[in-house]
């Protein structure tokens, strides 16, 4: 279990973190979401003791000391080494079997010069490097940023496999689609605090929105008088969010709006809210 | 030697070889050697040719000047070679290596090794030993090679043992120059300042120090020693010990600073 309590940090006169608190269950993936400059990297550095906090505490329970691995957003590598030489260096030349297993875990070949590797491959090598000491907790700062879709998919698969091995992962990224698909829980860091936490595991189970497809382009102005908030997917399709606290009333309100609109609906289906929508609501 | 330091040295040796730095060191030595030998060949004939073309032309002063600049006696000539190596080789080496450590640190290359149990001191010491070792060995090998090649056509007034000793001293000089450059690049706020101060010291100090009696106790004396092709080895221990002491002091200051930095981070972490 990771317990972050009231972490504060200021640079000069600017308070970047004003009391960040959250908890992460063991064996889960927690996503930290926030705009650029929200303090995600600062928080990660504090959690790995690379940066001292002005106040607050980070508590790792049931985890041996040194069992936290941190991968920065732009890890620096010794470019002239090959993948196996780099891992051998980190392993102090002691365990070639483990080196091969690590390369296998991140699907990288040995004898590959780092200088010639793509960004996605470097990111995977970074993950292998963090795994050298076999940490139970991984803090990954933007592991999928600047990667192409194939590279992102590879990293996502690796992270899901690591979760299956029982590791706890905290990752930050602004590519919310990645969070949506692999995180169990996501925290929105805004204004120096976690403004909202979304339990993605739960919300995947319960539908919290509706996708409505019309025969003709609907009058959104008129519709928004009855239904809020509305997200336009394409000219004929919209998405509306349902207030989970007042689910029945919320659904009735949508139906009432549709009947008043007098525009034929082709289909109605349930969906859960995407992180993009929550991000737009709480961070923008 | 501890395992971590050995692994760091292996990594740095690969860097030095694959980035072509050892090749650069060797090429520099060869280039300077060929230049001095070539100049000695070409310039030493000029007064005689002038005399042949212009009978009655007073060549005494010119001969004196040429023999001073590029002497035909091996001992004096290898002194000139040592001087050019001391100035140009050092200059290039300092320019090449002064940014290595700050670039590695700023580029985040130390984060993952430090997480896996390496120490900043090991990373720095390894760089000093490998780069200093390669530079020193290049100079030593270049010096001996020059002695053998130049000895084949110049008047030999220097024995092999003398050349061997001076080659070792000049190799040591280069090791020390590399060590100072790397340590100062981490200690000073800007690595360019450390490079400029090192270049200024190497260019000016040996000449200035020869004017004073106490010059032979200064850390730059071993440079003057090989420039003059001296053989009084007894005068070397004092400045060499001084060099070791200054390097050790810089090393301690740097280690203390790094320790303090790590302790501060660890302390604030445990207080949380």
């Amino acid at each position: 279990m990771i317990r972050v309590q009231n972490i504060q940090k200021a640079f000069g006169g600017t308070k970047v973190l004003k009391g960040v608190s959250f908890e992460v269950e063991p064996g889960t993936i927690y996503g930290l979401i926030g705009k650029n400059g929200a303090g995600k990297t600062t928080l990660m550095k504090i959690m790995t003791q690379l940066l001292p906090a002005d106040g607050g505490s980070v508590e790792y329970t049931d985890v041996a000391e040194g069992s936290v691995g941190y991968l920065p957003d732009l890890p620096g590598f010794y470019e002239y080494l090959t993948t196996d030489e780099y891992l051998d260096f980190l392993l102090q030349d002691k365990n070639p079997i483990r080196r091969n297993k690590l390369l296998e875990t991140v699907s990288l070949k040995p004898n590959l010069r780092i200088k010639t590797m793509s960004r996605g491959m470097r990111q995977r090598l970074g993950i292998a490097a963090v795994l050298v000491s076999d940490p139970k907790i991984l803090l990954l700062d933007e592991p999928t940023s600047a990667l192409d879709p194939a590279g992102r998919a590879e990293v996502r698969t690796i992270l899901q496999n690591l979760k299956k091995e029982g590791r706890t992962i905290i990752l930050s990224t602004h590519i919310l689609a990645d969070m949506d698909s692999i995180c169990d829980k996501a925290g929105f860091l805004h204004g120096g605090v976690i403004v909202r936490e979304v339990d993605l595991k739960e919300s995947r189970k319960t539908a919290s929105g509706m996708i409505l497809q019309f025969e003709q382009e609907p009058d959104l102005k008129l519709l928004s008088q009855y239904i809020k908030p509305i997200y336009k997917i394409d000219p004929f399709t919209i998405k509306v969010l349902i207030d989970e606290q007042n689910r029945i009333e919320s659904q009735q309100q949508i139906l009432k709006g549709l009947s008043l609109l007098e525009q034929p609906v082709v289909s109605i289906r349930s969906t859960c809210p995407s992180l993009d929508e929550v991000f737009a609501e709480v961070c923008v | 030697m501890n395992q971590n330091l050995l692994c760091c040295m292996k990594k740095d040796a690969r860097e030095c070889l694959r980035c072509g730095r050892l090749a650069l060191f060797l090429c520099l030595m060869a280039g300077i050697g060929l230049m001095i030998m070539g100049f000695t060949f070409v310039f030493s004939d000029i007064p005689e040719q002038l005399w042949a073309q212009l009978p009655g032309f007073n060549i005494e002063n010119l001969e004196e000047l040429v023999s001073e600049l590029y002497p035909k006696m091996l001992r004096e000539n290898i002194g000139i070679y040592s001087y050019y190596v001391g100035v140009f080789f050092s200059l290039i080496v300092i320019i090449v290596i002064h940014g290595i450590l700050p670039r590695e640190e700023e580029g985040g290359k130390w984060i993952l090794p430090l997480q896996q149990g390496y120490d900043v001191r090991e990373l720095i010491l390894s760089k000093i030993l490998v780069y200093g070792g390669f530079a020193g060995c290049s100079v030593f090998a270049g010096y001996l090679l020059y002695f053998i090649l130049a000895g084949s056509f110049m008047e030999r007034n220097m024995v092999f043992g003398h050349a061997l000793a001076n080659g070792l001293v000049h190799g040591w000089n280069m090791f020390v120059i590399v060590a100072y450059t790397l340590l100062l690049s981490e200690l000073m706020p800007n690595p360019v300042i450390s490079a400029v101060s090192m270049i200024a010291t190497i260019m000016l100090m040996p000449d200035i120090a020869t004017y004073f009696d106490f010059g032979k106790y200064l850390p730059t004396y071993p440079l003057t020693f090989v420039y003059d092709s001296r053989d009084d080895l007894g005068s070397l221990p004092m400045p060499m010990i001084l060099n070791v002491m200054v390097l050790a002091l810089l090393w301690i200051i740097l280690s203390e600073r790094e320790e303090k930095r790590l302790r501060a981070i660890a302390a604030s972490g445990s207080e949380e």
Side-chain angles (χ1 to χ4, degrees), chain B residues 87-227:
Chain B
V87 173
F88 293 111
F89 186 89
S90 309
L91 185 80
I92 304 289
V93 168
I94 289 169
I95 289 170
V96 169
I97 66 163
H98 80 278
I100 289 179
L101 285 173
R103 267 202 305 272
E104 276 196 5
E105 194 179 2
E106 284 159 23
K109 287 184 184 175
W110 290 358
I111 295 175
L112 292 169
L114 291 178
Q115 270 188 53
Q116 305 310 333
Y118 283 97
D119 194 299
V120 174
R121 283 170 293 191
E122 287 159 356
L123 295 168
I124 296 172
L125 182 61
S126 153
K127 276 275 186 294
I128 292 171
L129 293 176
V130 171
Y131 276 78
F134 277 144
C137 288
S138 306
V139 168
F140 172 69
Y143 190 94
L144 284 190
L145 196 65
Y146 189 90
F147 172 80
I148 293 163
L149 289 177
S152 62
F153 68 91
M154 284 181 199
E155 201 176 318
R156 263 196 141 149
N157 58 345
M158 189 182 192
V159 293
F160 181 76
H162 183 188
L164 188 73
N166 280 23
L168 280 171
V169 174
H170 216 15
W172 159 263
N173 284 337
M174 221 40 73
F175 176 85
V176 170
I177 288 169
V178 169
Y180 275 122
T181 308
L182 289 171
L183 284 172
L184 290 175
S185 73
E186 271 296 293
L187 279 168
M188 287 188 168
N190 187 337
V192 176
I193 301 173
S194 73
V196 171
S197 8
M198 275 307 295
I199 291 167
T201 308
I202 291 159
M203 300 272 215
L204 305 173
M205 274 303 283
D207 286 338
I208 295 170
T210 48
Y211 288 108
F212 305 101
D213 280 344
F214 62 84
K216 60 179 175 184
Y217 302 114
L218 294 178
T220 50
Y221 176 74
L223 280 171
T224 318
F225 183 89
V226 283
Y227 293 170

Side-chain angles (χ1 to χ4, degrees), chain A residues 73 119 123 141-147 152 173-175 178:
Chain A
D73 55 344
R119 195 167 162 148
Q123 207 62 264
D141 197 359
E142 314 238 359
T144 54
S145 66
L147 298 188
R152 279 168 49 202
T173 177
H174 48 254
I175 303 166
D178 291 340

Side-chain angles (χ1 to χ4, degrees), chain A residues 21-229:
Chain A
S21 303
F22 63 90
E23 285 180 5
V24 184
E25 293 291 327
T28 61
I29 302 182
Y30 187 93
L32 262 179
I33 301 170
K35 286 198 260 187
N36 285 337
K40 302 186 293 287
T41 302
T42 305
L43 180 60
M44 286 211 166
K45 283 187 175 168
I46 289 170
M47 290 178 74
T48 47
Q49 298 194 352
L50 282 170
L51 203 66
D54 295 340
S57 66
V58 181
E59 202 182 306
Y60 299 99
T61 48
D62 306 327
V63 171
E65 202 180 320
S67 196
V68 181
Y70 169 62
L71 181 67
D73 55 344
L74 290 170
F77 297 107
Y78 294 104
E79 306 264 320
Y80 46 85
L81 294 181
T82 59
T83 45
D84 50 336
E85 285 168 354
Y86 185 67
L87 291 179
D88 276 340
F89 164 62
L90 295 180
L91 284 159
Q92 279 106 14
D93 276 341
K94 281 176 192 161
N95 200 341
I97 296 163
R98 174 138 182 79
R99 172 245 290 161
N100 290 338
K101 194 169 179 291
L102 286 170
L103 285 173
E104 205 180 294
T105 306
V106 295
S107 317
L108 279 177
K109 287 177 189 159
N111 297 319
L112 203 58
R113 189 72 75 90
I114 297 175
K115 200 178 179 180
T116 63
M117 280 164 53
S118 68
R119 195 167 162 148
M121 291 161 106
R122 281 163 190 248
Q123 207 62 264
R124 282 187 275 152
L125 179 63
I127 293 172
V130 173
L131 290 173
V132 161
S133 55
D134 200 17
K136 293 288 164 274
I137 294 169
L138 294 172
L139 303 180
L140 311 175
D141 197 359
E142 314 238 359
T144 54
S145 66
L147 298 188
D148 58 22
R152 279 168 49 202
E154 281 168 351
V155 171
R156 278 202 304 266
T157 310
I158 292 167
L159 296 183
Q160 272 160 342
N161 290 338
L162 292 174
K163 184 189 152 188
K164 278 180 202 158
E165 288 173 12
R167 295 179 212 270
T168 308
I169 302 169
I170 298 181
L171 63 99
S172 76
T173 177
H174 48 254
I175 303 166
L176 301 180
D178 291 340
M179 295 272 193
D180 246 341
S181 56
I182 56 169
C183 292
D184 297 301
K185 210 170 180 182
F188 290 83
L189 186 60
H190 185 65
V193 288
I194 297 282
V195 285
R196 182 175 305 177
E197 276 190 323
V198 177
D199 193 331
L200 293 161
K201 216 158 75 179
E202 278 302 308
S203 63
R204 274 184 209 117
K205 286 181 200 161
T206 55
S208 311
M210 285 171 115
I211 290 184
L212 310 170
Q213 200 178 4
F214 295 88
E215 210 170 73
Q216 292 165 356
E217 196 170 341
D219 183 349
L220 291 181
K221 234 181 195 174
L222 183 68
L223 197 60
S224 61
Q225 288 174 14
Y226 303 97
I227 310 167
K228 271 180 190 171

